[in-house]
């Protein structure tokens, strides 16, 4: 089977790396891919938003499955685009249809969904920009810290935790004035949950689901969790503060009712679902749904799979996931992101990268890289993720940090404290 992966980040390189190991695979393509995906498949210069271009490529190259990495094309309805096309509709796409993608595409929708199905989440209220006075009055009745969220997709920048009422009011006005365009014309104001964050994942075919190992993401740019929020600067899997009993609670109180809700609303959901969780005492709360794998969580979760990913996705496509056995490695996985100096703010691109020889114990997953005339160059804020698996986190992290010493590019920045809190 020929497979097309949509996306260009570290998550997509990880998916491509794993899928490329499958005996079921014919040719593997990545659109648009990056400097690393080229070593496991063929990059094709089609943007993730170019549905017509993707359509043509799929038909011309006998693609048997499309795997969607990032959220934007899902929220824009790529699955519906395939389903509604008389020729394309026989090609399965891994990812939810538009109504399912709204779980990530609209925080207001996600919160209402959780309310309907009794899924634990923060107390909230939503306001549209014509209700500014009501929103301000509501804020003034709360106490700090204040959690404000732009309703729509805002590239991970749509959540503000304001420490003072003044800052909260300022943020609210900025959002309503269209800081993120339409995405912030509706604002969700939420109760602040104090606890420890973790991410849980399932792969579902709409009927049943498989639980993937949980992960912890390090979101802040600076050491000791300081500085601005990023897409993620490192990750670990499993999560030491999520024991069997806690994971069972997540399954019973969050995953099951979410699946029931999807079925109840007749949403065709075939793909990954990511639960961003806060552990408050012994209780998990959902702080967000993502309708895809995480990045950099994929870089620690997928390498822990012993069984095949393409095989799992094929089972999803044909709603036979009940007959698939998810086998996992016992090992602990750690990943650290190498970023361009300045990320998530301004940074320079086009810096030559030197990489050591490939090793079995460490995997380098590319993100913001590209190959030009045979040379590997930086091309984004998050440049690559270095992952290792070992019998414990400290061994895995030592292997990662040792490898990082051997990777070189101007402005190489990374957090040196991943895993230090555990
Ligand atoms: P999100 O984009 O929804 O992942 O939110 C970004 C970050 O804001 C999360 O990773 C949390 O650290 C924080 N956050 C979101 N919602 C809440 C909440 N209700 N209480 C406390 N922190 C939150
Ligand atoms: N690392 C967070 C995310 O993928 O949303």
């Amino acid at each position: 089977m020929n497979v097309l992966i949509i996306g260009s980040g570290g998550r997509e390189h990880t998916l491509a790396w794993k899928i490329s190991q499958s005996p079921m695979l014919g040719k593997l393509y990545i659109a648009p891919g990056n400097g690393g995906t080229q070593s496991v498949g063929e990059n094709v210069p089609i943007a993730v938003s170019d549905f017509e271009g993707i359509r043509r490529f799929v038909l011309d190259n006998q693609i048997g499955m499309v795997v969607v990495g990032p959220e934007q094309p899902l929220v824009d309805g790529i699955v519906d685009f395939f389903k509604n096309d008389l020729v394309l509709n026989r090609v399965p796409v891994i990812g939810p249809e538009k109504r399912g993608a709204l779980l990530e595409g609209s925080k207001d929708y996600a919160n209402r969904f959780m309310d309907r199905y009794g899924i634990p989440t923060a107390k909230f209220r939503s306001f549209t920009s014509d209700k500014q006075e009501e929103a301000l009055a509501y804020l003034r009745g709360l106490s700090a810290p204040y959690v404000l969220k732009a309703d729509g997709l805002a590239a991970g920048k749509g959540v503000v935790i304001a420490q003072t009422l003044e800052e909260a009011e300022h943020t609210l006005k900025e959002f309503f004035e269209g800081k993120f365009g339409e995405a912030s014309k509706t604002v969700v104001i939420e109760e602040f949950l104090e606890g420890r964050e973790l991410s849980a994942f399932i792969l579902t075919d709409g009927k049943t689901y498989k639980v993937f190992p949980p992960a912890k993401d390090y979101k802040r740019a600076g050491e000791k969790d300081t500085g601005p929020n990023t897409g993620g600067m490192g990750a670990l899997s499993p999560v030491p503060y999520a024991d069997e009993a806690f994971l069972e609670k997540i399954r019973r109180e969050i995953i099951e009712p979410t699946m029931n809700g999807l079925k109840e609303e007749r949403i065709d959901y075939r793909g990954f679902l990511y639960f961003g969780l806060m552990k408050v005492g012994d209780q998990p709360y959902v702080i967000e749904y993502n309708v895809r794998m995480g990045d950099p969580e994929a870089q620690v979760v997928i390498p822990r799979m012993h069984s095949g990913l393409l095989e799992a996705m094929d089972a999803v496509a044909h709603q036979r996931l009940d007959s698939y056995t998810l086998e996992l490695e016992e090992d602990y996985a750690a990943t650290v992101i190498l970023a361009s100096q300045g990320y998530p703010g301004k940074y320079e691109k086009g810096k030559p990268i030197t990489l050591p020889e490939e090793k079995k114990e460490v995997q380098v997953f590319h993100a913001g890289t590209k190959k030009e005339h045979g040379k590997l160059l930086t091309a984004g804020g998050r440049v690559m993720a270095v992952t290792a698996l070992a019998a414990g986190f400290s061994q895995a992290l030592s292997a990662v940090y040792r490898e990082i010493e051997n990777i070189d590019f101007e402005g190489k920045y990374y957090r040196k404290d991943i895993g230090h809190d555990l």
Side-chain angles (χ1 to χ4, degrees):
M1 175 173 33
N2 295 342
V3 175
L4 173 66
I5 299 177
I6 309 284
S8 62
R11 166 185 50 216
E12 286 74 25
H13 187 187
T14 312
L15 296 172
W17 167 81
K18 182 69 181 170
I19 287 173
S20 74
Q21 297 162 12
S22 170
M24 281 178 76
L25 182 69
K27 285 207 74 175
L28 177 61
Y29 300 96
I30 309 95
N34 60 41
T37 55
Q38 266 170 304
S39 58
V40 288
E42 188 179 320
N43 288 353
V44 289
I46 305 173
V48 304
S49 56
D50 181 7
F51 293 1
E52 279 303 331
I54 292 170
R55 176 181 197 278
R56 245 174 291 127
F57 187 84
V58 164
L59 297 178
D60 290 347
N61 294 277
Q62 289 83 48
I63 299 297
M65 182 190 290
V66 177
V67 177
V68 186
E71 62 278 11
Q72 190 73 55
L74 294 167
V75 172
D76 293 342
I78 191 167
V79 172
D80 310 69
F81 176 84
F82 269 67
K83 273 202 222 160
N84 296 333
D85 186 293
L86 288 177
V87 200
L88 281 185
N89 65 16
R90 55 178 178 77
V91 182
V93 184
I94 303 301
E97 63 176 348
K98 199 168 181 169
R99 286 196 309 137
L102 265 183
L103 285 177
E104 178 166 0
S106 166
K107 306 244 186 223
D108 177 47
Y109 174 89
N111 279 350
R112 288 176 201 274
F113 178 95
M114 286 187 265
D115 245 15
R116 278 200 294 286
Y117 298 102
I119 297 160
T121 187
K123 289 192 200 73
F124 75 98
R125 274 192 62 185
S126 309
F127 299 91
T128 47
S129 54
D130 55 326
K131 298 281 188 315
Q132 181 156 329
E133 284 313 313
E134 278 173 49
L136 284 170
Y138 181 69
L139 264 184
R140 287 172 192 139
L142 302 174
S143 50
Y146 306 87
V147 181
L148 293 99
K149 301 186 173 183
D151 177 52
L153 292 185
K157 301 189 179 84
V159 176
V160 172
I161 315 280
Q163 298 302 334
T164 65
L165 183 59
E166 208 182 351
E167 191 191 342
E169 290 182 355
H170 177 73
T171 302
L172 185 74
K173 284 179 192 152
E174 268 188 345
F175 277 11
F176 280 157
E177 280 160 14
K179 182 168 187 197
F180 297 109
E182 281 305 308
S184 64
K185 291 283 166 122
T186 298
V187 174
V188 177
I189 300 176
E190 247 176 50
E191 163 198 19
F192 179 80
L193 296 172
E194 177 109 53
R196 303 184 87 174
E197 272 185 80
L198 71 151
S199 312
F201 310 92
I202 60 168
L203 180 66
T204 176
D205 62 359
K207 288 182 169 169
T208 183
Y209 62 88
K210 299 289 168 181
V211 181
F212 277 61
K216 172 181 164 68
D217 176 20
Y218 291 78
K219 287 205 166 90
R220 300 296 199 91
E223 261 140 53
K224 301 212 169 89
D225 294 328
T226 55
N229 255 317
T230 70
M233 295 300 292
L236 302 177
S237 176
V239 180
Y241 46 87
D243 60 11
E244 275 307 316
F246 185 69
L247 294 175
E248 178 52 27
K249 205 168 194 172
I250 294 173
R251 203 187 58 75
R252 209 174 50 239
E253 297 183 17
I254 291 170
I255 298 174
E256 282 286 332
T258 299
M259 284 300 297
N260 290 340
L262 292 172
K263 285 177 195 166
E264 191 76 27
E265 312 211 350
R266 299 187 187 285
I267 292 172
D268 186 9
Y269 201 118
R270 300 186 202 188
F272 282 107
L273 180 55
Y274 163 146
F275 304 83
L277 305 174
M278 189 72 85
K279 183 184 186 199
V280 183
D282 218 18
Q283 180 61 46
Y285 290 86
V286 177
I287 52 177
E288 62 167 346
Y289 285 114
N290 292 144
V291 297
R292 48 169 176 84
M293 243 296 155
D295 188 343
E297 291 94 328
Q299 290 89 312
V300 286
V301 171
I302 300 297
R304 294 189 64 215
M305 280 180 86
H306 185 68
S307 47
L309 178 58
L310 184 55
E311 289 70 12
M313 288 175 166
D314 188 56
V316 164
H318 299 101
Q319 295 197 301
R320 286 191 278 97
L321 193 57
D322 56 347
S323 65
Y324 172 85
T325 308
L326 175 62
E327 291 165 40
L328 299 171
E329 306 281 359
E330 289 293 309
D331 282 354
Y332 291 69
T335 198
V336 175
I337 298 287
L338 300 186
S340 303
Q341 189 71 50
Y343 170 79
K346 267 174 61 167
Y347 55 83
E348 291 177 18
K349 296 182 194 174
K351 308 291 179 193
I353 305 170
T354 47
L355 280 179
E357 292 279 305
E358 277 184 34
K359 298 186 184 61
K360 253 185 55 205
E361 326 76 79
V362 276
Q363 275 300 321
V364 176
F365 296 117
H366 294 224
T369 74
K370 65 173 178 188
K371 268 204 178 125
E372 231 172 56
H373 310 299
K375 280 212 182 105
L376 189 66
L377 305 173
T378 67
R382 290 194 291 176
V383 176
M384 48 184 59
V386 182
T387 297
L389 261 65
F393 281 130
S394 55
Q395 293 105 302
L397 283 161
S398 316
V400 166
Y401 282 115
R402 236 181 293 129
E403 187 71 352
I404 285 177
E405 292 296 311
N406 300 322
I407 301 175
D408 203 40
F409 58 89
E410 194 187 310
K412 176 177 90 174
Y413 170 77
Y414 60 98
R415 275 182 61 169
K416 299 182 179 65
D417 67 336
I418 302 301
H420 284 195
D421 53 323
L422 300 173

